[in-house]
Amino acid sequence: MFTAIARRAVPALGVAGLGTWAAVTTSNDAWDDVFPPSPKDAARREKIVVLGSGWAGLNVLQKCAGPGKEITIISPRPHFLYTPLLAGSAVGTVSRDAVREPLRALVDAADAKADKASFLRADARDVDLDRKVVVATTTGVDRREIAYDKLVIAVGSEPATFGIPGVADHALFLKEAADASKVHARLLSNLEKAAALAACGADAADVDRLLKIVVVGGGPTGVEFAAELADFTRDDVAKRYGEGLASRVRVVLVEAMPRILAPFDASLANVAKEHLLDRGVEVRTGAAVTALKEGAATFAPSTPRTASPEAKAAALAKAETEDVGAVVWAAGITARPLVKKLAAKLGQKDTRGLKVDASLKVPGADGVYAIGDAALSGFAPTAQVASQMGKHVGRALRDGEDAPFAYRHAGSLCCLGNGNAIAQLAPPKSAAFLAWRSLHSAAGTNSVGADGDQRAVTGAPAFMLWRSLYFTQLLSASGRAKVSWDWIQTQFSGRNVVEPVLLRRDSPAASP
């Protein structure tokens, strides 16, 4: 009996596994990794320099590696950061090791296919466009020059503070792995301080200040982090510090626009807002932070950029300052200094990014491409866009043929924690469209989007979609194993509540 079952089950499982692998390979646009095309001009040697180690730069590296290519990756960050899981790592849902891949391992894989691939940990400070040389520093003071035939600028972006007083000095950010460590350390440190003060009968206001966390920015990053905080409070703070302390934790999500999650349909944004409110998150829309200082934040009604001076003054007159324990800033991005410098050098008035043509080449800069957040391309600054741009330019460099970039939007996802999420899925532009439409019609999903051609998925199905999609995009078996173990551990034994050691400090000497 068991033998008969096995004879049927094994082939079925094999077919299912093969089908899953094929679907993932298609979804990740990676068939040319499985069946590399024949080199068109292997005899032509070309030095390719890629600035950046994020989604855009990594995909360039993976696609352009081939005969005749000598590739150098220059980045101050020696790892690839898996940004979709960064919010979770800031509260211990997953470890920092699980969301990073060592860059040298990825470069070694490219080196096996290219003539040479290498990594230089350095900061790119300037580009001599006439001499085709990148000027970089490895220690902040030394100067090194790296020649190129083709240059890809994929340095990403940095948090925008909008010139608001105190943000640069007192806010915590969510852009790099080190930022997640700082946020995690502040949360746990404040919890320990609050627990000690409460145990000693200290002023309630001091305890409440430490336990108030403000998340600025109602985009996907801010919403996902606020949701993670809500789960962390209910599941782990209550367990480790007691219900009394957990009930005093306040999570406040602040968004200057009239609603959160502007990239999503309004109906889905409302689903997310209601879920956050149900989980105890206070959501403030139409509100702006006007100043930060140690332990305090000032809020005022937001005004549009076109508002008159009188309207702005009236809004500021309503400003109120509140005590806070931490402010996590996820309110926008701006170009990095290198991009601004090159944009000015090329005569651009708008220095938010480098202008590019249809094939993502920078006009006026021979052999230079700009992709991802570094490009003024008209596309959203998302990992999805950066990945597709990186693959497009990587293939153009590999094949020696430039072509117009065509973006294929697959949809948008936002995790709301506690087994919940929202998804706004775009229809495939292929023969799979009929099957896609039939599947969603059978599932009863709602039509959303400006043209009503997209589909909304919410709740547990969207959460499974979120986890499954991002899990398949992890780059290594070890990374998938780490993330899987972290998710299992969080589910059954709770999140990591060991405070990260950021800087060792000697205990102060006791007073005589």
Side-chain angles (χ1 to χ4, degrees):
M1 175 179 166
F2 291 107
T3 303
I5 294 175
R7 285 176 179 173
R8 294 182 180 181
V10 171
L13 291 173
V15 171
L18 183 61
T20 301
W21 170 79
V24 170
T25 303
T26 301
S27 174
N28 291 340
D29 188 18
W31 280 109
D32 55 350
D33 293 337
V34 181
F35 304 107
S38 300
K40 295 186 177 181
D41 189 5
R44 181 167 58 92
R45 294 291 183 266
E46 197 168 49
K47 291 183 178 180
I48 299 171
V49 174
V50 181
L51 306 182
S53 58
W55 289 98
L58 175 68
N59 278 282
V60 172
L61 171 69
Q62 292 178 325
K63 295 301 180 185
C64 77
K69 308 301 181 185
E70 183 178 324
I71 309 163
T72 302
I73 301 290
I74 301 176
S75 173
R77 187 174 71 187
H79 58 263
F80 168 74
L81 178 64
Y82 197 71
T83 51
L85 300 181
L86 191 61
S89 73
V91 297
T93 304
V94 293
S95 65
R96 251 75 72 195
D97 286 344
V99 300
R100 294 179 296 174
E101 291 280 354
L103 195 57
R104 289 193 178 275
L106 304 173
V107 171
D108 286 346
D111 186 61
K113 297 186 291 184
D115 281 8
K116 182 182 180 182
S118 59
F119 168 61
L120 177 64
R121 185 173 185 176
D123 283 295
R125 302 291 187 179
D126 200 358
V127 179
D128 189 325
L129 299 172
D130 296 324
R131 296 172 52 224
K132 287 194 169 185
V133 165
V134 173
V135 179
T137 60
T138 56
T139 63
V141 293
D142 66 322
R143 172 189 169 101
R144 297 179 182 273
E145 293 188 346
I146 301 94
Y148 66 85
D149 297 312
K150 296 291 175 61
L151 173 67
V152 183
I153 300 173
V155 294
S157 56
E158 61 186 27
T161 61
F162 306 104
I164 299 172
V167 172
D169 295 326
H170 301 295
L172 298 165
F173 299 97
L174 265 181
K175 189 68 174 173
E176 303 288 345
D179 295 332
S181 294
K182 291 176 183 178
V183 172
H184 198 195
R186 174 71 68 84
L187 294 176
L188 294 175
S189 175
N190 281 6
L191 281 167
E192 293 294 352
K193 291 176 182 177
L197 289 174
C200 296
D203 190 339
D206 292 334
V207 177
D208 292 337
R209 177 185 64 80
L210 289 167
L211 298 178
K212 185 173 181 178
I213 307 149
V214 175
V215 183
V216 183
T221 300
V223 169
E224 289 189 349
F225 181 62
E228 287 280 2
L229 280 173
D231 286 354
F232 174 63
T233 301
R234 287 198 175 193
D235 298 340
D236 302 279
V237 176
K239 177 181 178 181
R240 304 295 182 185
Y241 298 89
E243 291 285 354
L245 200 70
S247 65
R248 299 173 71 171
V249 175
R250 287 184 62 193
V251 179
V252 182
L253 177 64
V254 179
E255 170 55 47
M257 300 294 287
R259 69 174 176 90
I260 62 172
L261 295 176
F264 287 80
D265 187 84
S267 62
L268 283 172
N270 191 58
V271 169
K273 179 180 178 180
E274 292 301 320
H275 178 80
L276 290 175
L277 292 173
D278 183 62
R279 298 292 287 174
V281 177
E282 179 183 342
V283 180
R284 301 181 189 177
T285 54
V289 174
T290 59
L292 285 184
K293 60 182 181 179
E294 185 67 31
T298 302
F299 303 91
S302 60
T303 55
R305 294 179 181 177
T306 56
S308 66
E310 293 77 14
K312 293 181 179 180
L316 288 174
K318 299 177 182 179
E320 295 183 355
T321 300
E322 302 176 19
D323 291 337
V324 297
V327 175
V328 180
W329 197 265
I333 56 174
T334 188
R336 293 194 183 274
L338 173 68
V339 172
K340 293 180 179 179
K341 179 186 289 188
L342 291 178
K345 187 182 292 188
L346 291 167
Q348 291 183 203
K349 293 183 179 179
D350 188 345
T351 60
R352 293 175 301 161
L354 290 166
K355 291 182 179 179
V356 293
D357 63 16
S359 60
L360 304 179
K361 297 183 75 172
V362 179
D366 182 40
V368 178
Y369 299 79
I371 55 178
D373 296 357
L376 273 180
S377 61
F379 296 103
T382 64
Q384 188 177 173
V385 170
S387 296
Q388 291 188 31
M389 284 183 169
K391 290 174 181 177
H392 177 83
V393 170
R395 287 170 176 145
L397 294 173
R398 179 193 66 196
D399 300 337
E401 297 178 357
D402 289 315
F405 170 67
Y407 173 59
R408 299 175 300 280
H409 184 62
S412 301
L413 297 166
C414 182
C415 182
L416 303 177
N418 193 37
N420 215 311
I422 57 172
Q424 184 167 329
L425 305 178
K429 296 180 179 180
S430 66
F433 173 72
L434 292 177
W436 183 89
R437 186 174 64 180
S438 299
L439 176 63
H440 282 282
S441 296
T445 56
N446 296 324
S447 297
V448 293
D451 299 324
D453 62 339
Q454 299 182 348
R455 294 286 182 161
V457 182
T458 60
F463 180 74
M464 292 301 297
L465 180 63
W466 184 89
R467 278 205 167 177
S468 299
L469 177 65
Y470 288 130
F471 185 79
T472 62
Q473 292 182 348
L474 290 165
L475 300 178
S476 68
S478 63
R480 287 187 284 273
K482 290 176 184 177
V483 169
S484 298
W485 174 248
D486 287 343
W487 282 342
I488 292 170
Q489 190 173 32
T490 295
Q491 183 67 33
F492 292 102
S493 61
R495 292 169 177 81
N496 175 18
V497 291
V498 177
E499 182 180 337
V501 178
L502 303 179
L503 180 65
R504 180 168 182 159
R505 294 184 295 267
D506 293 331
S507 300
S511 301

